[in-house]
Amino acid sequence: MDTHLIVLAAGQGTRMNSDLPKVLHLIGGAPLFAHALASGDALNPVNRVLVVGHGGEQVRRAAATIDPEITVVDQTRQLGTGHAVGCARAALNGATGTVFVLFGDTPFIRAETLQRMAEARAHNSIVVLGFQAADPGRYGRLVTDGHRLERIVEFNDASPEERTITLCNGGIMAIDATVLFDLVDAVGNANASGEYYLTDIVSIARSRGLQATAVTCPEAETMGINTRAELARGEAIFQAAKRDEALENGVTLIAPNTVFFSFDTYVGRDALVEPNVVFGPGVTVETEAVIRAFSHLEGCHVGARAVVGPYARLRPGTELSNEVKIGNFVEIKNSLIGDGAKVNHLSYVGDAEVGENTNLGAGTVTCNYDGVFKHRTVIGRGAFIGSSTMLVAPVTIGAGAMTASGSVITSDVPDGALALGRAKQVNKPGLALRMFEKLKALKASEQKVSG
Ligand code: UD1
Ligand code: CA
């Protein structure tokens, strides 16, 4: 049976108090709607439709980078969740199977929960995700009769008796694709909010003799993000889950609460992560690597048994091979560092290729940017770059070559050569002593005048 996803993301999110559309706010470095899409992906959907409205162009662009295949449809006026689903009609024309409706601001739905809904769909035209609310507040209430779901009543329209129901609507639904749009067509807006409620399709389906039921999940899973405070709480929930996952996968975290992951961080078995480390998007760390305290990594790969930090910054395009050592106050960008190479202190390496077992001394800088273009630096294997060498790119240093400390290297160095690119030193005997005497005498005479 085919599965299709509709992710509703047209709402303004007024309570975020933001110029950014709500669903573009990040948790674990990924926009909220991407989390909803990711849980839906576990169902292998044949179609994915994102309904956008407020900030539609911005959301459209973000969606295209995450999934070029996704269909984005506009809901120009936000007339309600039922109306929003109706906007996906053309995109799902002739679809059969099950349509899952997810909310773009509800990031924690587990794939396993959707799977249970898919199973319940076998005997029901509609499956709604419900939860027992600690405080049912303004959630829609599920009116049930045994295992049957009879209807959903929105808080604003609920009677005092219905408001005592604690089984609430989590918002997610799985619906028979062949009846969904007929049901949505029958939804009116004669209710307290004047909106076309998706939730009304349940009572409409029942009146047509179709079956509906609810599958429940823990309340935390249905958490929607509406405010900055909820965004921060959501981030904390996300981080806690990623830390647990890392520990379970055999990663040592000395102080788990101080390590921050992204949605796609991968850390291999027996790796060690010291306190206060931040993993931005796109990081993979191989087995037995050590990420020392206060390091910041994004868009990079750290090879097996490599050691990074403390206080290292690895920027996008950094590829550290096995057993590389990156030390304190070192920044690496868009560079390949070969097996066993060392960049241990106070260096900037950008747009470079560093050969196996090469050593970059303290304060090595690749001068990769001329103000307009970026240029590459290539350093062969087994080379030795003296401390405080400026490598003015484009430049190539041969295998086994050496540069003298303090050199400014502007032309290529052949294999095995020593490059000296600094001013020649001159010593003037006794000049320092004479200079000091002269300066001290000057100071004394000035003090006499002012005193
Ligand atoms: C909805 C449910 C309610 C449930 C609650 C769970 C309806 C009518 N009510 O209420 O039963 O308890 O979720 O959180 O469905 N959206 C659009 N276009 C619109 C309106 C909404 O795309 O015209 C999107 C929003 O961006 C959001 C989602 O749909 O992602 C839910 O809309 P929202 O207005 O937050 O619904 P609730 O009032 O919370
Ligand atoms: Ca909501």
Side-chain angles (χ1 to χ4, degrees):
M1 199 159 68
D2 285 350
T3 298
H4 318 270
L5 298 184
I6 300 177
V7 178
L8 303 188
Q12 184 167 17
T14 318
R15 289 193 291 149
M16 293 298 281
N17 191 12
S18 174
D19 287 339
L20 197 64
K22 176 162 83 173
V23 292
L24 292 189
H25 285 268
L26 306 178
I27 284 186
L32 290 175
F33 77 88
H35 289 268
L37 276 174
S39 16
D41 266 350
L43 300 164
N44 287 321
V46 289
N47 289 295
R48 295 136 59 91
V49 184
L50 185 68
V51 181
V52 304
H54 281 279
E57 263 320 299
Q58 251 176 301
V59 181
R60 198 179 271 276
R61 261 179 277 128
T65 64
I66 286 167
D67 177 7
E69 310 265 275
I70 201 165
T71 308
V72 182
V73 301
D74 290 301
Q75 186 195 25
T76 38
R77 292 171 63 210
Q78 281 65 63
L79 302 177
T81 48
H83 178 261
V85 167
C87 295
R89 182 192 313 263
L92 295 182
N93 191 22
T96 59
T98 302
V99 174
F100 275 82
V101 177
L102 308 177
F103 289 172
D105 64 355
T106 304
F108 297 123
I109 303 292
R110 285 180 310 154
E112 174 195 309
T113 301
L114 298 179
Q115 215 72 57
R116 281 194 291 124
M117 292 177 72
E119 283 156 24
R121 245 287 288 141
H123 314 286
N124 293 276
S125 298
I126 302 179
V127 180
V128 171
L129 183 62
F131 64 100
Q132 283 295 345
D135 169 14
R138 305 188 63 80
Y139 287 114
R141 307 298 206 265
L142 302 189
V143 181
T144 52
D145 178 6
H147 280 304
R148 269 197 198 150
L149 178 63
E150 293 297 339
R151 61 197 187 94
I152 304 176
V153 58
E154 289 303 300
F155 176 80
N156 284 338
D157 304 291
S159 66
E161 195 186 324
E162 286 166 335
R163 287 182 182 181
T164 64
I165 297 173
T166 54
L167 181 61
C168 291
N169 177 22
I172 309 307
M173 286 195 200
I175 309 130
D176 179 348
T178 62
V179 300
L180 171 61
F181 295 105
D182 283 344
L183 294 172
V184 164
D185 277 341
V187 170
N189 66 348
N191 52 54
S193 314
E195 284 184 19
Y196 294 87
Y197 295 151
L198 177 63
T199 45
D200 280 355
I201 66 170
V202 173
S203 59
I204 296 167
R206 291 294 298 130
S207 72
R208 295 181 183 182
L210 300 174
Q211 301 296 320
T213 195
V215 156
T216 58
C217 73
E219 183 165 3
E221 229 179 298
T222 67
M223 178 191 183
I225 306 296
N226 301 293
T227 63
R228 303 271 183 172
E230 284 170 358
L231 185 67
R233 216 178 310 145
E235 183 73 42
I237 291 169
F238 171 85
Q239 293 299 339
K242 286 298 276 189
R243 289 164 190 150
D244 287 348
E245 187 187 306
L247 294 168
E248 217 146 284
N249 290 345
V251 178
T252 298
L253 304 177
I254 294 172
N257 290 341
T258 70
V259 176
F260 293 83
F261 294 100
S262 282
F263 65 103
D264 60 353
T265 308
Y266 170 83
V267 184
R269 216 162 95 101
D270 288 320
L272 164 65
V273 181
E274 290 187 356
N276 297 298
V277 170
V278 175
F279 294 99
V283 177
T284 52
V285 175
E286 299 294 339
T287 176
E288 290 176 61
V290 179
I291 311 298
R292 305 197 60 195
F294 296 100
S295 293
H296 189 283
L297 297 81
E298 60 187 316
C300 64
H301 173 251
V302 176
R305 297 172 301 284
V307 179
V308 173
Y311 298 98
R313 177 164 185 216
L314 302 184
R315 291 172 53 204
T318 295
E319 164 80 38
L320 306 185
S321 305
N322 297 340
E323 285 157 50
V324 161
K325 287 208 163 62
I326 303 299
N328 43 270
F329 307 109
V330 171
E331 174 182 346
I332 315 251
K333 185 214 79 170
N334 189 33
S335 295
L336 170 64
I337 313 294
D339 284 342
K342 296 190 176 100
V343 191
N344 266 334
H345 335 264
L346 297 158
S347 291
Y348 171 64
V349 179
D351 304 310
E353 204 180 305
V354 176
E356 283 172 36
N357 299 318
T358 281
N359 186 91
L360 272 55
T364 297
V365 172
T366 55
C367 309
N368 58 329
Y369 186 47
D370 58 16
V372 181
F373 296 105
K374 300 279 173 64
H375 302 281
R376 287 192 70 73
T377 300
V378 178
I379 306 174
R381 50 160 60 192
F384 184 92
I385 305 301
S387 293
S388 203
T389 295
M390 300 294 121
L391 299 162
V392 182
V395 71
T396 298
I397 313 294
M402 201 182 251
T403 69
S405 294
S407 288
V408 177
I409 302 296
T410 54
S411 49
D412 292 353
V413 180
D415 289 356
L418 167 67
L420 269 151
R422 62 191 187 203
K424 204 167 168 62
Q425 181 174 324
V426 182
N427 290 345
K428 306 277 189 187
L431 186 58
L433 289 176
R434 294 205 299 281
M435 285 272 289
F436 278 131
E437 272 161 26
K438 204 167 151 185
L439 291 170
K440 281 177 190 158
L442 185 62
K443 191 173 183 185
S445 73
E446 276 179 2
Q447 277 167 348
K448 215 178 266 172
V449 172
S450 65

